[in-house]
Amino acid sequence: MKLAIGNDHVAVEMKQEIKAYLEAQGHEVIDVGTNEPGSFHYPISGYRVAKLVAAGEVEGGILICGTGVGISLAANKVKGIRACVCSEPYTAKLSKQHNNTNIIAFGARVIGVELAKMIVDEWINAEFMGGRHGTRVDMIMEIEATQHLQAAEE
Ligand code: RB5
């Protein structure tokens, strides 16, 4: 799989470990940074990964900051992105199966690297189930595209 990964200054070490873990499995990983210890604004890496995902240049994205919250909020402002924070593998798997997430995020101050690897594994290996879940994801994207949800306004 071709993936993009990004982080802020809090998560440099975890990002590098997750990137190496994915590459050892044969995945191609585009690293948008940061790899420097100095303070780095998480919206920059959230935006960079989101643009690569939205453009179809990668099949999915991984974002890591202190909590995963700020960086996922930034990514979700790019059209077409469905990013969520996961601190355990069950939600990560269901977020792909039911919500068709295209970016997974987590917090380097919240979880350890071994749990992060399990989260990433579950998310990468899960497949969107479509069907009734597809109807609901389409509704989410309708809100994004139109700022309305017809089913809620009838
Ligand atoms: C940086 O201090 C911290 O705010 C950031 O890593 C992240 O947790 C934001 O959501």
Side-chain angles (χ1 to χ4, degrees), residues 1-153:
M1 207 178 200
K2 190 172 178 183
L3 299 159
I5 197 164
N7 58 286
D8 73 357
H9 55 285
V10 176
V12 171
E13 195 178 326
M14 179 179 276
K15 187 280 301 291
Q16 289 172 346
E17 285 194 56
I18 295 296
K19 182 184 173 194
Y21 176 70
L22 291 168
E23 287 174 339
Q25 291 180 24
H27 297 293
E28 184 183 346
V29 184
I30 298 176
D31 181 359
V32 306
T34 182
N35 284 292
E36 305 300 326
S39 181
F40 186 87
H41 299 310
Y42 57 78
I44 296 171
S45 39
Y47 171 80
R48 286 176 179 162
V49 166
K51 291 297 275 189
L52 288 169
V53 172
E57 291 181 40
V58 295
E59 294 161 78
I62 298 162
L63 290 172
I64 320 171
C65 64
T67 59
V69 173
I71 204 162
S72 59
L73 288 176
N76 274 317
K77 295 300 177 188
V78 173
K79 277 203 165 125
I81 294 305
R82 291 175 299 280
C84 75
V85 184
C86 290
S87 296
E88 38 73 30
Y90 179 77
T91 305
K93 179 179 179 177
L94 269 288
S95 81
K96 178 77 78 63
Q97 290 182 333
H98 287 196
N99 316 115
N100 202 14
T101 47
N102 46 21
I103 293 179
I104 193 88
F106 40 87
R109 285 175 170 156
V110 180
I111 62 170
V113 71
E114 295 306 320
L115 187 53
K117 288 176 187 172
M118 291 175 74
I119 287 169
V120 164
D121 281 342
E122 287 292 333
W123 184 71
I124 285 174
N125 292 322
E127 283 190 22
F128 181 48
M129 294 166 71
R132 68 184 186 282
H133 304 296
T135 303
R136 294 162 188 159
V137 172
D138 287 347
M139 293 168 88
I140 295 170
M141 303 323 285
E142 179 188 337
I143 297 170
E144 177 181 271
T146 68
Q147 288 298 294
H148 290 282
L149 179 58
Q150 199 175 335
E153 292 167 357

